[in-house]
Coordinates of all heavy atoms in Angstrom, one line a residue:
Chain B
Y211 N 3.6 -5.1 -5.4 CA 3.7 -3.8 -4.8 C 4.8 -3.8 -3.7 O 4.9 -4.8 -3.0 CB 2.3 -3.5 -4.0 CG 1.1 -3.7 -4.9 CD1 0.6 -5.0 -5.0 CD2 0.5 -2.6 -5.5 CE1 -0.6 -5.2 -5.8 CE2 -0.7 -2.8 -6.2 CZ -1.2 -4.1 -6.4 OH -2.3 -4.3 -7.2
Y213 N 6.4 -1.8 -0.3 CA 6.1 -0.8 0.7 C 7.3 -0.7 1.6 O 8.1 -1.7 1.8 CB 4.9 -1.2 1.5 CG 3.6 -1.2 0.8 CD1 3.2 -2.3 0.0 CD2 2.8 -0.1 0.9 CE1 2.0 -2.3 -0.7 CE2 1.5 -0.1 0.2 CZ 1.2 -1.2 -0.6 OH 0.0 -1.2 -1.3
Q215 N 8.5 0.3 5.6 CA 8.0 0.6 7.0 C 9.2 1.1 7.8 O 10.1 0.2 8.1 CB 7.3 -0.6 7.6 CG 6.8 -0.3 9.0 CD 6.1 -1.5 9.6 OE1 6.4 -2.6 9.4 NE2 5.1 -1.2 10.5
E218 N 8.8 2.1 13.9 CA 7.6 2.6 14.7 C 6.7 3.4 13.8 O 6.0 4.3 14.3 CB 8.1 3.5 15.8 CG 9.1 2.8 16.8 CD 8.4 1.6 17.5 OE1 7.2 1.8 17.9 OE2 9.0 0.6 17.6
F223 N 3.6 3.3 0.6 CA 3.7 2.8 -0.7 C 4.9 3.3 -1.5 O 5.3 4.4 -1.4 CB 2.4 3.1 -1.5 CG 2.5 2.9 -3.0 CD1 2.4 1.6 -3.5 CD2 2.7 3.9 -3.9 CE1 2.4 1.4 -4.8 CE2 2.8 3.7 -5.2 CZ 2.6 2.4 -5.7
F269 N 8.4 -4.4 2.6 CA 7.4 -5.4 2.4 C 7.0 -5.4 0.9 O 6.8 -4.4 0.3 CB 6.1 -5.1 3.2 CG 6.3 -5.4 4.7 CD1 6.7 -4.4 5.6 CD2 6.1 -6.7 5.2 CE1 6.9 -4.7 6.9 CE2 6.3 -7.0 6.6 CZ 6.7 -5.9 7.4
P276 N -5.6 -5.7 -9.8 CA -5.4 -4.6 -8.9 C -6.4 -4.4 -7.8 O -6.0 -4.0 -6.7 CB -5.4 -3.4 -9.8 CG -5.1 -3.9 -11.2 CD -5.6 -5.3 -11.2
E277 N -7.7 -4.6 -8.1 CA -8.7 -4.3 -7.0 C -8.9 -5.4 -6.0 O -9.7 -5.3 -5.1 CB -10.0 -4.0 -7.7 CG -10.5 -5.1 -8.6 CD -10.1 -4.9 -10.1 OE1 -9.0 -4.3 -10.3 OE2 -10.8 -5.3 -11.0
T279 N -7.6 -8.0 -2.9 CA -6.8 -7.9 -1.7 C -5.3 -8.1 -2.0 O -4.9 -9.0 -2.8 CB -7.2 -8.9 -0.7 OG1 -8.6 -8.6 -0.4 CG2 -6.4 -8.9 0.6
Q280 N -4.5 -7.3 -1.4 CA -3.0 -7.5 -1.5 C -2.6 -8.4 -0.3 O -2.9 -8.1 0.9 CB -2.3 -6.2 -1.4 CG -2.6 -5.3 -2.6 CD -1.8 -4.0 -2.5 OE1 -0.9 -3.8 -1.8 NE2 -2.2 -3.0 -3.4
R287 N 14.1 -7.0 6.5 CA 14.6 -6.0 7.4 C 16.0 -5.6 6.9 O 16.9 -6.4 7.0 CB 14.7 -6.5 8.8 CG 13.4 -6.2 9.6 CD 12.4 -7.4 9.5 NE 11.1 -7.1 10.1 CZ 10.0 -7.6 9.6 NH1 10.0 -8.4 8.6 NH2 8.9 -7.3 10.2
Chain G
Y266 N -5.3 -4.9 8.7 CA -4.2 -5.9 8.8 C -3.6 -5.9 10.2 O -3.7 -4.9 10.9 CB -3.0 -5.5 7.8 CG -3.3 -5.7 6.4 CD1 -3.9 -4.7 5.6 CD2 -2.8 -6.9 5.7 CE1 -4.2 -4.9 4.3 CE2 -3.0 -7.1 4.4 CZ -3.7 -6.1 3.7 OH -3.9 -6.3 2.3
Q268 N -0.2 -6.8 12.5 CA 1.2 -7.1 12.5 C 1.6 -7.5 13.9 O 1.9 -6.7 14.8 CB 2.0 -5.8 12.1 CG 3.5 -6.1 11.8 CD 4.2 -4.9 11.3 OE1 4.0 -3.7 11.7 NE2 5.1 -5.1 10.3
G272 N 6.4 -9.6 13.1 CA 6.6 -8.6 12.0 C 5.9 -8.8 10.7 O 5.8 -7.9 9.9
F276 N -3.6 -10.3 6.8 CA -4.8 -9.8 6.3 C -6.0 -10.2 7.2 O -6.1 -11.4 7.5 CB -5.0 -10.3 4.8 CG -6.4 -10.0 4.3 CD1 -6.8 -8.8 3.9 CD2 -7.3 -11.1 4.2 CE1 -8.1 -8.6 3.4 CE2 -8.6 -10.9 3.7 CZ -9.0 -9.7 3.3
R279 N -11.4 -7.2 4.1 CA -11.6 -6.2 3.0 C -13.0 -5.9 2.9 O -13.9 -6.8 2.9 CB -11.1 -6.8 1.7 CG -11.3 -6.0 0.5 CD -10.8 -6.8 -0.7 NE -10.9 -6.1 -2.0 CZ -11.7 -6.4 -2.9 NH1 -12.6 -7.4 -2.7 NH2 -11.8 -5.8 -4.1
Y327 N -9.2 1.0 -8.3 CA -8.4 -0.1 -8.9 C -7.2 -0.5 -8.1 O -6.3 -1.1 -8.6 CB -8.0 0.4 -10.3 CG -9.2 0.5 -11.2 CD1 -9.9 1.8 -11.4 CD2 -9.9 -0.6 -11.7 CE1 -11.0 1.9 -12.1 CE2 -11.0 -0.5 -12.5 CZ -11.6 0.7 -12.7 OH -12.7 0.8 -13.4
G328 N -7.2 -0.1 -6.8 CA -6.3 -0.7 -5.9 C -4.8 -0.5 -6.2 O -4.0 -1.4 -6.0
Q329 N -4.5 0.6 -6.9 CA -3.1 0.7 -7.3 C -2.1 0.9 -6.2 O -1.0 0.5 -6.3 CB -3.0 1.8 -8.3 CG -3.6 1.5 -9.7 CD -3.1 2.4 -10.8 OE1 -2.4 3.3 -10.5 NE2 -3.7 2.2 -11.9
N330 N -2.6 1.5 -5.1 CA -1.7 1.5 -3.9 C -2.6 1.7 -2.7 O -3.7 2.2 -2.8 CB -0.6 2.5 -4.0 CG -1.1 3.9 -3.9 OD1 -1.4 4.4 -2.8 ND2 -1.3 4.7 -5.0
F331 N -2.1 1.2 -1.6 CA -2.7 1.4 -0.4 C -2.2 2.6 0.4 O -1.0 2.9 0.3 CB -2.4 0.2 0.5 CG -3.2 -1.1 0.3 CD1 -3.9 -1.3 -1.0 CD2 -3.4 -2.0 1.2 CE1 -4.6 -2.4 -1.2 CE2 -4.1 -3.2 1.0 CZ -4.7 -3.4 -0.3
R338 N -1.1 0.2 18.4 CA -0.5 -0.9 19.1 C -1.4 -1.3 20.2 O -1.7 -0.6 21.1 CB 0.9 -0.4 19.6 CG 1.7 -1.5 20.3 CD 3.0 -1.1 20.8 NE 3.9 -0.6 19.7 CZ 4.6 -1.5 18.9 NH1 4.6 -2.8 19.2 NH2 5.3 -1.0 17.9

Side-chain angles (χ1 to χ4, degrees):
Chain B
Y211 311 80
Y213 295 83
Q215 184 179 29
E218 303 299 318
F223 167 77
F269 287 92
E277 57 268 30
T279 299
Q280 294 180 17
R287 271 93 184 146
Chain G
Y266 286 85
Q268 188 174 40
F276 165 75
R279 171 180 184 254
Y327 294 99
Q329 287 195 3
N330 72 78
F331 280 21
R338 182 178 299 278

